[in-house]
Amino acid sequence: MRKNIDVKKQEILIGVTAGIAAYKTADLVSRLVQSGYGVSVMMTREADALMGRRIFQALTGRMVAVEMFSRTGEAIPHIESGRKADLFCIAPATANILGKAAHGIADDLLSTTVLAFDGPILWVPAMNVQMWKNAAVQRNLSQLRADGHQILGPESGYLACGETGMGRMVSPETIFQTIERFFSSQESL
């Protein structure tokens, strides 16, 4: 049963990249929808190939944006999607999307929408421990923080590659609680 929120229904745009942790994002989206948030999902093509948009369409009851120039009815999807959202959360955030955002690269729908979004952005990184420790990734994270973006995680644990270390995406519950605190206080993430 969907919980009704007394205040204006908050809209959240979830960006999904091609990290194996995307299965956790499905859990996050389900929690958000069940709590009464309006949730739209945008995926990279690679995430769509890995996970499939139909899962997120079923969870949200909305079409999932993947292509820059789709026939969804939105004239300019990377602008329109961002205008509707009160918060943009990218989970999992791979090293690739973090690098694109930190350097202003807009070569697909998700990275273009990040540049066009004029609100709070929450990045939830997930990647191999060696990638996480890479100096370029750390520079990109520092740049995003300097630009006013929020980073949540990662945490240490068992990774999909079989290694153990920093790079594991935080739990859907932790992301959900962070979003709840943001909307309840309207302070920074």
Side-chain angles (χ1 to χ4, degrees):
M1 177 167 194
R2 189 179 283 212
K3 175 181 158 188
N4 293 322
I5 297 175
D6 294 333
V7 295
K8 173 185 158 272
K9 185 177 183 180
Q10 301 295 325
E11 286 289 326
I12 302 169
L13 179 57
I14 302 289
V16 183
T17 64
I20 195 66
Y23 77 92
K24 291 181 180 181
T25 307
D27 184 7
L28 170 65
V29 166
S30 178
R31 289 170 191 258
L32 291 168
V33 169
Q34 289 178 50
S35 294
Y37 291 101
V39 181
S40 296
V41 175
M42 179 176 288
M43 303 175 79
T44 62
R45 281 187 221 152
E46 294 80 8
D48 187 29
L50 177 69
M51 182 90 172
R53 69 184 85 174
R54 287 189 177 98
I55 292 167
F56 292 108
Q57 287 173 344
L59 291 170
T60 64
R62 297 177 178 184
M63 296 300 294
V64 172
V66 177
E67 300 297 329
M68 179 76 87
F69 302 106
S70 65
R71 298 181 185 146
T72 63
E74 289 183 336
I76 309 171
H78 61 283
I79 303 293
E80 296 302 318
S81 295
R83 284 186 180 147
K84 296 174 187 173
D86 300 300
L87 173 70
F88 195 176
C89 174
I90 298 91
T94 59
N96 184 52
I97 191 67
L98 293 168
K100 286 180 183 183
H103 295 281
I105 297 170
D107 62 357
D108 63 10
L109 180 59
L110 184 58
S111 60
T112 303
T113 304
V114 167
L115 292 185
F117 188 70
D118 189 28
I121 300 179
L122 175 63
W123 297 92
V124 187
M127 64 195 73
N128 168 272
V129 62
Q130 297 306 320
M131 293 173 76
W132 175 254
K133 293 190 312 187
N134 187 285
V137 170
Q138 294 304 309
R139 278 193 307 274
N140 292 336
L141 289 162
S142 293
Q143 182 61 55
L144 290 171
R145 284 186 190 101
D147 292 343
H149 299 218
Q150 302 298 311
I151 314 295
L152 180 61
E155 58 190 21
S156 187
Y158 182 79
L159 304 172
C161 61
E163 294 182 51
T164 301
M166 191 64 72
R168 183 180 176 89
M169 188 168 111
V170 298
S171 73
E173 179 63 24
T174 299
I175 305 166
F176 177 80
Q177 290 172 354
T178 300
I179 291 171
E180 285 267 278
R181 279 193 306 274
F182 168 73
F183 283 123
S184 67
S185 67
Q186 282 300 305
E187 295 176 6
S188 66
L189 298 163

